[in-house]
Amino acid sequence: MLAVNQPVLLALATLVGLAGGSFLNVVILRLPRRLHFEWRQQCNELLEQKELALEPPPDLVFTPSHCPQCKKRIRWYENIPVLSWLVLRGRCSGCGKSISFQYPVVELITGVLTVFLIAHYGLTTSGIAAVALTWGLIALSGIDLREQLLPDVIIFPLLWLGLLLNTQAMFTDLSSAVIGAVAGYMSLWIVFQLFRLLTGKEGMGYGDFKLLAMFGAWFGWQMLPLIVVLSSFVGAVVGIMLVVLRGRDRNIPIPFGPYLAAAGWIAMVWGDQLLAGYLGVSGIG
């Protein structure tokens, strides 16, 4: 019924996307805290130190949402994606403190991209897979922007999922996917090592290597040059704008993950057309 009734399908995709965006906000805010807590515990065990009396951070699913300022529990009608933020005028109903603009932005982006992908691919396995990847990329981008961290707990399951899907040649053939995963990691790893050898500094994090490997697993090695070029161009433009317009210190690192994520998403949707257009213009194709 959904497949033949496009308005109903897109309306449902909108609701699912907005709800997914609400959950992604929880992931972006809580997952890094839980990871840091677990890492501290592991360090204490390795060093045989007395465990710090720290309260575990909230989990991702069962702990109710609350105001980070006054700890007031957020009621269900105050947690409706986008709408509640607008009704509350971006402020907590308890303490009146401002609610981050991140919440409606992430919800809107997730909702819009979910609807676009379902309209683009239809209610198909590839469409659902594309939505799953997109949600993961939004979470990774949000975490990297806030924490300069790309968690393995998100990247690795998506990498294995890409390889698994491509056993059925969903986005590329399995051979290209395996080579893409290896080439994606090794290409940035080599650049990282050369940059560190020449400058004595680390130009990027290992999470960027894994993220590009994940894209290789999904779309094959053929898409990697396009992803690297797009992400580098956008990252360079944004970096220059931050330095010129906002006076950002050039020595302050800028997370590269969101640019890789955006480039990978573009490659997923329009990669074949972009490559075909480039080959046509260059006269190679």
Side-chain angles (χ1 to χ4, degrees):
M1 183 187 70
L2 290 175
V4 299
N5 196 327
Q6 189 78 349
V8 174
L9 174 61
L10 296 182
L12 181 60
T14 301
L15 296 177
V16 172
L18 291 173
S22 181
F23 175 70
L24 292 181
N25 272 316
V26 174
V27 174
I28 291 169
L29 294 171
R30 294 185 182 180
L31 181 59
R33 293 170 57 193
R34 293 197 64 83
L35 291 176
H36 286 300
F37 178 79
E38 293 171 2
W39 293 337
R40 285 196 298 269
Q41 285 188 316
Q42 293 167 6
C43 290
N44 288 334
E45 293 175 3
L46 289 172
L47 297 173
E48 298 181 351
Q49 294 180 347
K50 184 179 180 180
E51 184 174 351
L52 298 176
L54 297 175
E55 182 181 352
D59 62 72
L60 302 183
V61 178
F62 299 106
T63 304
S65 299
H66 60 275
C67 173
Q69 305 292 334
C70 66
K71 308 303 180 183
K72 172 184 177 292
R73 182 170 176 174
I74 298 175
R75 292 161 288 194
W76 69 267
Y77 54 83
E78 297 176 323
N79 207 22
I80 301 173
V82 181
L83 181 61
S84 292
W85 191 90
L86 293 173
V87 171
L88 293 170
R89 297 182 180 180
R91 294 190 176 276
C92 172
S93 61
C95 62
K97 295 291 181 65
S98 62
I99 302 172
S100 173
F101 196 56
Q102 170 193 312
Y103 291 95
V105 168
V106 170
E107 291 162 356
L108 276 174
I109 290 174
T110 308
V112 168
L113 294 185
T114 299
V115 171
F116 173 84
L117 290 172
I118 293 301
H120 183 77
Y121 289 101
L123 191 60
T124 60
T125 305
S126 57
I128 295 172
V131 168
L133 176 61
T134 300
W135 287 19
L137 294 177
I138 292 171
L140 287 168
S141 298
I143 292 172
D144 202 24
L145 285 170
R146 291 176 61 92
E147 307 286 342
Q148 295 187 8
L149 173 70
L150 293 170
D152 291 346
V153 72
I154 298 178
I155 292 179
F156 284 155
L158 287 174
L159 190 153
W160 309 135
L161 177 60
L163 291 175
L164 183 63
L165 293 173
N166 284 324
T167 60
Q168 304 301 313
M170 183 168 294
F171 293 96
T172 188
D173 62 273
L174 183 58
S175 177
S176 295
V178 173
I179 295 172
V182 176
Y185 187 93
M186 292 304 299
S187 58
L188 288 188
W189 182 85
I190 291 172
V191 171
F192 170 86
Q193 297 296 344
L194 290 175
F195 184 84
R196 185 168 66 173
L197 181 64
L198 294 174
T199 66
K201 301 178 181 179
E202 296 184 354
M204 64 183 71
Y206 279 71
D208 298 321
F209 315 162
K210 300 169 190 175
L211 183 55
L212 190 59
M214 184 197 74
F215 284 132
W218 276 74
F219 311 123
W221 61 267
Q222 297 90 339
M223 286 294 174
L224 295 180
L226 174 64
I227 294 172
V228 171
V229 169
L230 284 175
S231 59
S232 299
F233 175 75
V234 175
V237 171
V238 172
I240 292 172
M241 290 176 62
L242 288 174
V243 171
V244 173
L245 299 179
R246 298 178 58 182
R248 186 185 181 100
D249 188 346
R250 298 180 184 180
N251 294 319
I252 297 177
I254 298 174
F256 190 49
Y259 308 121
L260 271 177
W265 192 87
I266 291 171
M268 174 178 67
V269 180
W270 297 294
D272 291 333
Q273 295 92 317
L274 290 172
L275 287 177
Y278 169 76
L279 294 176
V281 170
S282 64
I284 299 176

